Amino acid sequence: MALVVICGQPCSGKSTTAAFLPEALHETECKPSVRIVDESSFHVTRNEGYANMPSEKNLRGVLRSEVDRSLSRDNIIIVDSLNSIKGYRYELWCLARAAGTRYCVVHCDVDETHCRRWNDQRREKSEACYDDKIFEDLVRRFERPDSKNRWDSPLFELWPSRDGIEKSSAAIMDAVTYLTKRVDSKTKDVKVLQPTIATQGARLTEANSLYELDRATLEVMNMIVEAQSRAAAAGGPLRGLTLGPGLPSVDMSRHVGLPELRRLRRTFIKLTGQSSLSGPPPPSDADSAKRMFVDYLNRELESS
């Protein structure tokens, strides 16, 4: 039905806006199905996702793949992320066009001073925040949306530092109206993107492989964490974990904490992506990705 891209500086109110949009949409007559795609969907923290350019590129690829898989004419997808690069917003616009849905951008327009202050306040409250170095880098590279660009249009703008953010904010209500208005041959103010021959059949193999790799490794990591928790509750250590038919077992000679598992997973994804540049692409199915990741874990855990 539609793709909504929320963009803005770090700590500008994007996630608050993303939370209010579904509430406002569910109060309309059509009550559309709404899904938010964001970094937390993949258990990636702000500082992990934007620690360096390879991490950021990987995060954008995973988010883009998830949007591509989720888009249909029966739901509304909200991309709650920085979406700060105009080239990336163009890629998302292309996905909406290929799916034949509506598209719009919601911009949280906040000056750097307020964003920096809000980030500091989150740190003081021990809430999710950006490291100063990462924050300054993201602020410097932000590319403002321009309604003259087709991938930034229509553009709905909020000014959270001046007006706050409410479910009834003018930009949110305007976006809801645009997303839910019935369209017929006489409708002029709502544009449904039409797929071209090139976009209709195209699928990015690399992006799909990256998606499968990310999902499969995340599933393995979550299974290990849950199995260790059950073993600890039962009063015994976890010596091994079987993932399923045809898949190798994870050899566990000691407890492996979540931070270490996350580090191993990030390293594995990075190494797999680098090797695919000069060799075969990453695995395109979940079982192959799981086998590769388990083999990597067993080698790393045995040598540590």
Side-chain angles (χ1 to χ4, degrees):
M1 188 174 180
L3 174 61
V4 181
V5 176
I6 299 181
C7 76
Q9 298 275 24
C11 292
S12 58
K14 299 181 297 299
S15 294
T16 302
T17 301
F20 278 133
L21 255 176
E23 292 183 21
L25 285 164
H26 289 152
E27 291 180 359
T28 63
E29 183 180 352
C30 61
K31 293 180 173 51
S33 172
V34 184
R35 185 186 171 201
I36 296 175
V37 175
D38 58 7
E39 290 90 343
S40 64
S41 304
F42 304 95
H43 300 275
V44 177
T45 67
R46 301 172 188 223
N47 291 317
E48 289 174 341
Y50 299 99
N52 48 52
M53 291 308 295
S55 296
E56 185 175 337
K57 182 179 179 181
N58 176 58
L59 176 60
R60 287 201 302 269
V62 170
L63 289 170
R64 182 178 60 237
S65 296
E66 184 67 13
V67 170
D68 192 15
R69 289 173 174 270
S70 302
L71 269 178
S72 74
R73 300 191 183 188
D74 301 319
N75 61 10
I76 294 177
I77 302 299
I78 300 173
V79 189
D80 175 21
S81 186
L82 289 174
N83 300 316
S84 57
I85 300 174
K86 59 183 179 182
Y88 183 60
R89 294 197 296 271
Y90 172 72
E91 292 178 10
L92 295 175
W93 177 85
C94 288
L95 294 180
R97 182 177 62 176
T101 67
R102 306 182 198 194
Y103 173 92
C104 71
V105 174
V106 178
H107 177 209
C108 294
D109 193 352
V110 180
D111 62 85
E112 297 176 17
T113 301
H114 277 92
C115 291
R116 192 173 290 107
R117 183 185 308 154
W118 289 345
N119 190 54
D120 291 339
Q121 290 173 352
R122 289 180 180 178
R123 183 181 296 114
E124 292 170 359
K125 296 177 182 178
S126 298
E127 297 176 350
C129 64
Y130 295 93
D131 291 345
D132 289 338
K133 183 179 179 181
I134 294 176
F135 179 89
E136 296 300 334
D137 178 60
L138 293 174
V139 165
R140 177 180 58 82
R141 293 189 290 113
F142 179 71
E143 297 175 338
R144 292 178 62 88
D146 184 345
S147 59
K148 295 179 182 178
N149 299 325
R150 53 186 174 171
W151 55 87
D152 289 334
S153 177
L155 177 64
F156 302 102
E157 294 186 285
L158 287 158
W159 291 273
S161 61
R162 187 190 71 187
D163 305 327
I165 307 174
E166 301 290 342
K167 183 171 62 177
S168 58
S169 294
I172 291 179
M173 298 311 298
D174 289 345
V176 168
T177 300
Y178 180 82
L179 294 169
T180 58
K181 186 174 182 178
R182 295 184 181 276
V183 178
D184 55 33
S185 58
K186 297 180 181 180
T187 305
K188 301 295 184 182
D189 56 346
V190 175
K191 184 176 181 181
V192 178
L193 300 178
Q194 298 300 319
T196 63
I197 295 177
T199 60
Q200 221 165 0
R203 282 279 181 177
L204 299 177
T205 302
E206 182 182 354
N208 287 343
S209 297
L210 183 61
Y211 172 87
E212 292 295 347
L213 186 68
D214 187 89
R215 298 282 287 193
T217 54
L218 179 62
E219 185 177 342
V220 170
M221 186 183 75
N222 288 340
M223 290 175 69
I224 293 173
V225 171
E226 292 171 5
Q228 288 186 140
S229 297
R230 290 196 300 269
L238 178 68
R239 296 303 182 186
L241 173 63
T242 302
L243 300 178
L247 296 174
S249 298
V250 183
D251 300 326
M252 307 288 293
S253 59
R254 61 178 177 83
H255 179 85
V256 185
L258 183 57
E260 183 178 1
L261 284 171
R262 283 175 172 167
R263 177 181 59 78
L264 289 168
R265 177 171 172 263
R266 287 197 304 271
T267 304
F268 172 76
I269 291 175
K270 181 178 180 181
L271 291 173
T272 305
Q274 288 175 344
S275 64
S276 69
L277 295 176
S278 57
S284 58
D285 65 282
D287 283 350
S288 295
K290 289 177 182 178
R291 278 192 289 270
M292 288 179 61
F293 185 43
V294 170
D295 288 342
Y296 172 79
L297 284 177
N298 286 337
R299 289 196 305 271
E300 293 297 312
L301 294 175
E302 183 182 7
S303 60
S304 62

